[in-house]
Amino acid sequence: MTKKERFNRLSEIGCIVCKIHYGATTPCCIHHLTGINFRSTGKKASYEYTIGLCPMHHQYGDNENPSIHARPVQFAEKFGSQEILLERTNELL
């Protein structure tokens, strides 16, 4: 699957957190997984390591709905690790 095909399919799926935890399909942003397992120092993860997250779960979360960038530990505790969300995303693709 090419980068463009993957990103188009991610857009169709929507936010993986909203889909799994709330049964909703919401528009998403593309999130490149973070951490040394997914990228080289100073670089984004490859397009193969991407998931769809809505703006709330990507950047603008709060205490009840933490975002992966603002509250990564709380996000993982509530919604699962990036690896788990990537696995679920790839199953849907």
Side-chain angles (χ1 to χ4, degrees), residues 26-89:
T26 55
C28 69
C29 307
I30 304 300
H31 170 69
H32 293 257
L33 274 59
T34 57
I36 197 67
N37 295 337
F38 305 108
R39 60 167 174 75
S40 301
T41 304
K43 297 186 182 225
K44 279 187 177 181
S46 172
Y47 75 89
E48 292 98 345
Y49 299 109
T50 53
I51 59 176
L53 293 172
C54 67
M56 174 69 78
H57 292 122
H58 192 226
Q59 293 177 320
Y60 304 116
D62 53 29
N63 287 333
E64 185 153 336
N65 278 299
S67 73
I68 199 161
H69 286 296
R71 294 179 173 90
V73 172
Q74 295 88 344
F75 179 90
E77 289 171 353
K78 184 164 186 171
F79 303 119
S81 69
Q82 294 182 101
E83 292 86 353
I84 289 170
L85 296 173
L86 178 63
E87 285 177 25
R88 294 296 303 275
T89 296

Side-chain angles (χ1 to χ4, degrees), residues 1-36:
M1 176 179 307
T2 68
K3 178 180 177 178
K4 182 177 180 178
E5 290 169 335
R6 181 175 181 89
F7 287 3
N8 285 340
R9 300 275 309 275
L10 289 175
S11 294
E12 291 170 4
I13 292 169
C15 176
I16 192 66
V17 171
C18 290
K19 182 169 285 308
I20 293 170
H21 292 274
Y22 305 110
T25 302
T26 55
C28 69
C29 307
I30 304 300
H31 170 69
H32 293 257
L33 274 59
T34 57
I36 197 67

